[in-house]
Amino acid sequence: MQRFDNAKAAALALRPDDPVYCFRPEVLKADARQFMGMFPGKTAYAVKTNGEQLVLKTLVEAGVTAFDVASPGEFAAVRAVSPDAEMLYMHPVKAQSDIRLALEKYGIRIIAIDHEDEITKLSRIVQALDIDPGTITVFVRIQTKGQAAYELSKKFGAGPANAVELGHRLHRHGYKVGLCFHVGSQIEDPDVYERALASADWVRNRLGFDIAGLDVGGGFPAEYGEDPRRKKREMPSLGQIMSRLRGDLREYGFDEVPLVAEPGRVIVARAFSLIVRVLLRKGRRLYINDGIWASLSDSWTGKITLPARFIADPAIRSRNGLEQNIVPFKVCGATCDSVDILSRPFWLPETIDTGDWIEIGHIGAYSLSLRTRFNGFYPDTFVEVTTPFEEGEAPQGLASLETMAD
Ligand SMILES: *Cc1c(COP(=O)(O)O)cnc(C)c1O
């Protein structure tokens, strides 16, 4: 992989017409180690956030030994980078053939459920393979209420009373029993974790046996851009959220229980930026070579503000407007689909023009993993970059939260 100091150097050297992902392995390692240093238990990286081989490999190098996986594709991706990484199969609803594959081929012994029929499926395979249930830890996923950029508890999780029943049933079958929840993504209110811990505590107190573990899921917030035109939102740092969580874990007496977290976004967001090219400027519209069907669907659905940096093409001799004037542009994606328009403007220097590039920062989570081949466009070019995004020139622009009239 080609290596550059920063994205500007890459853009000017390669003059790319296709989107280019700028990977920062040292940032990824630092963010993974920071999380592991703060969380008082096992860190299992959530592979769905970004399952690129170079990411998984770098995480193994950083000391990550456990991965949260949900599908045969993810089992294989983890195995490909590490023969002995531990996998936690935390998808509550699984195909029977996938459960078999997990237990038989990949040796997975940690699994999540939220319904009795999942226990039936699991037990069928466990019997067929003649595995001692006592070697398997089954986490009962508890429903939680929260507010996150993405609310995931609507889809999965057993109500507390039902979770108690499931726990008893698993215990009778001879499994080790843990409790887990996942409160959503990009959590900005530590009370969300506390409410989930209160539910877990309620369930645990009715089980009548010691639980084998508590998995607090993911949802830890990454830092994104800030729109300087808006009142600064008070957002707790990861350190603040973690110290609250550690305090709450102690308060509910979970500090004696083996703990697991499944961070995704907070570990990988800063590790990538994306260079896109302006294919056409039409007034206050920019047509770029990426969009909601490629790398930008998360910022589109998640209402996230990404920092952006203008990279001027030196070949453009004359420019209209003033470099210092930062103005909003409506951004249209690469495909012919009329919904492929970002819901929020990019704020960029007024002089930006056809042929220039834009570096979009903090794009490592849920961007590469969500890209599609729709319309024949599939960004897949990578370079390595050594300088962290924030350490370069100040970003002049951003993809803001404000909506824009047509
Ligand atoms: C998606 C997911 C995660 C990771 O969530 P982040 O918000 O990226 O930290 C963790 N656990 C489960 C069960 C998930 O579905």
Side-chain angles (χ1 to χ4, degrees), residues 57-97:
K57 223 170 132 218
T58 306
L59 289 173
V60 169
E61 285 164 22
V64 175
T65 57
F67 293 84
D68 163 20
V69 290
S71 64
E74 293 186 354
F75 308 157
V78 171
R79 216 20 109 236
V81 298
S82 170
D84 44 31
E86 183 178 21
M87 289 191 252
L88 289 68
Y89 189 8
M90 301 308 283
H91 198 316
V93 180
K94 298 164 288 295
Q96 191 153 300
S97 50

Side-chain angles (χ1 to χ4, degrees), residues 338-372:
S338 57
V339 311
D340 188 7
I341 299 176
L342 298 194
S343 55
R344 294 158 291 131
F346 280 20
W347 291 78
L348 291 159
E350 197 179 10
T351 54
I352 193 165
D353 212 340
T354 302
D356 287 327
W357 294 275
I358 304 164
E359 182 189 16
I360 303 169
H362 300 202
I363 195 115
Y366 305 107
S367 51
L368 292 77
S369 52
L370 286 169
R371 69 202 197 272
T372 74

Side-chain angles (χ1 to χ4, degrees), residues 134-173:
T135 62
I136 300 177
T137 303
V138 183
F139 280 86
V140 178
R141 173 119 165 213
I142 304 172
Q143 207 172 21
T144 58
K145 284 189 196 59
Q147 5 130 274
Y150 302 88
E151 174 64 66
L152 294 184
S153 275
K154 283 188 195 124
K155 185 163 171 184
F156 297 125
N162 184 220
V164 174
E165 275 173 46
L166 293 170
H168 283 146
R169 185 184 292 242
L170 288 163
H171 189 63
R172 279 200 305 276
H173 278 75

Side-chain angles (χ1 to χ4, degrees), residues 278-356:
V278 179
L279 301 178
L280 181 69
R281 174 176 174 173
K282 200 191 265 184
R284 281 294 182 84
R285 275 183 186 222
L286 300 177
Y287 292 79
I288 63 170
N289 58 358
D290 201 301
I292 66 159
W293 299 111
S295 319
L296 299 173
S297 69
D298 182 55
S299 62
W300 184 64
T301 53
K303 306 283 177 268
I304 277 163
T305 305
L306 297 168
R309 186 180 279 137
F310 169 50
I311 304 173
D313 181 356
I316 301 174
R317 299 278 173 241
S318 65
R319 291 181 181 274
N320 292 319
L322 288 168
E323 180 86 30
Q324 310 87 287
N325 279 0
I326 305 297
V327 296
F329 288 94
K330 194 175 191 94
V331 177
C332 300
T335 69
C336 303
D337 184 357
S338 57
V339 311
D340 188 7
I341 299 176
L342 298 194
S343 55
R344 294 158 291 131
F346 280 20
W347 291 78
L348 291 159
E350 197 179 10
T351 54
I352 193 165
D353 212 340
T354 302
D356 287 327

Side-chain angles (χ1 to χ4, degrees), residues 46 48-49 68 141 152 182 184-186 217-220 262-265 366:
K48 78 165 186 288
T49 317
D68 163 20
R141 173 119 165 213
L152 294 184
H182 176 59
S185 206
Q186 193 66 6
F220 302 92
E262 306 162 349
R265 184 189 293 280
Y366 305 107

